[in-house]
Amino acid sequence: NAGVTQTPKFQVLKTGQSMTLQCAQDMNHNSMYWYRQDPGMGLRLIYYSASEGTTDKGEVPNGYNVSRLNKREFSLRLESAAPSQTSVYFCASSKSSGGGKETQYFGPGTRLLVL
Amino acid sequence: GESVGLHLPTLSVQEGDNSIINCAYSNSASDYFIWYKQESGKGPQFIIDIRSNMDKRQGQRVTVLLNKTVKHLSLQIAATQPGDSAVYFCAEIPKDSSYKLIFGSGTRLLVRP
């Protein structure tokens, strides 16, 4: 049981390049999330997926797109990377699919540098 | 706007002493609170949670206290160990949301040997 896994661990991009961050969970959780964490700050929600087939915007969605590929996988795409997107990206999952508030469990993060 | 903040950015304690990390939240409608521990290079790790119908909850060596009157949350760590050194975040979920986890900026806990 690996929990939440993310790939890649590190990535360097040039401005304008695109890339997809991958996330998978093996806990049979319904909800999945993407956050970004900037230095010295807490995490901010980019997008979330309450259940398979649904996605919704979080606090800072601009410049990102997501895909809930299946119940296990939730990907984050940067279509045209900008230096302001340099950050550490965390994926998380939780059991609930609506109504109940459950703890979110986090992956190890992807460190992205945009030059 | 909604926000969760921490009083002390860095807390240094002697090994074996108790640690208290504080957090103030501004959204009085929040009804679920979580403390996370984040070690360098890792994702946040769940420590303990508390719902707004409680004022205290205990775990293994940790206790969370919730004071809704003054919108204050604290994490107490008993007999602090070197392995407790990390950044600690409080987070809240507003009552009108099941998913919107709002994080504070974090407190770094340093444990002196």
Side-chain angles (χ1 to χ4, degrees):
Chain A
N1 187 336
V4 180
T5 57
Q6 294 182 233
T7 56
K9 286 184 169 52
F10 303 97
Q11 184 70 49
V12 179
L13 293 178
K14 294 180 180 178
T15 297
Q17 287 185 316
S18 62
M19 78 161 294
T20 300
L21 283 65
Q22 306 289 351
C23 173
Q25 52 90 11
D26 62 1
M27 297 176 282
N28 200 35
H29 283 173
N30 289 300
S31 301
M32 298 185 73
Y33 314 82
W34 276 106
Y35 292 87
R36 61 177 287 171
Q37 184 177 33
D38 298 310
M41 296 181 65
L43 284 72
R44 292 183 293 169
L45 183 64
I46 304 171
Y47 270 93
Y48 66 95
S49 171
S51 60
E52 186 178 354
T54 68
T55 60
D56 286 284
K57 294 179 180 179
E59 182 184 358
V60 289
N62 292 345
Y64 305 95
N65 285 301
V66 291
S67 295
R68 184 72 183 268
L69 304 171
N70 48 56
K71 190 172 185 179
R72 290 187 64 250
E73 298 172 290
F74 188 38
S75 63
L76 178 71
R77 183 161 177 84
L78 286 69
E79 291 291 352
S80 179
S84 62
Q85 294 179 303
T86 293
S87 190
V88 181
Y89 291 84
F90 289 99
C91 178
S93 69
S94 66
K95 186 176 181 181
S96 65
S97 61
K101 299 187 183 185
E102 302 283 346
T103 300
Q104 294 179 20
Y105 295 90
F106 288 81
T110 293
R111 283 147 186 80
L112 176 66
L113 173 63
V114 183
L115 302 175
Chain B
E2 300 167 346
S3 67
V4 175
L6 297 175
H7 295 303
L8 300 173
T10 303
L11 176 66
S12 179
V13 299
Q14 189 72 39
E15 181 179 356
D17 287 350
N18 296 335
S19 302
I20 300 176
I21 301 172
N22 296 303
C23 175
Y25 63 94
S26 60
N27 187 344
S28 59
S30 291
D31 62 353
Y32 182 54
F33 303 88
I34 308 170
W35 279 102
Y36 284 95
K37 172 186 180 183
Q38 187 175 23
E39 296 174 281
S40 181
K42 297 183 179 180
Q45 176 186 0
F46 170 82
I47 301 173
I48 193 167
D49 61 358
I50 188 168
R51 300 186 188 272
S52 59
N53 61 352
M54 304 171 68
D55 54 18
K56 180 178 180 179
R57 190 170 188 205
Q58 288 185 293
Q60 187 176 14
R61 280 201 308 119
V62 294
T63 301
V64 56
L65 299 177
L66 176 62
N67 186 331
K68 294 181 287 295
T69 302
V70 295
K71 292 184 287 187
H72 185 267
L73 193 68
S74 68
L75 176 70
Q76 300 178 1
I77 304 174
T80 312
Q81 303 170 358
D84 294 327
S85 292
V87 177
Y88 290 81
F89 293 96
C90 63
E92 62 177 316
I93 297 182
K95 192 173 185 178
D96 61 351
S97 170
S98 294
Y99 311 105
K100 189 179 178 183
L101 195 59
I102 302 170
F103 281 82
S105 57
T107 293
R108 182 174 299 279
L109 176 65
L110 299 176
V111 182
R112 304 188 304 272

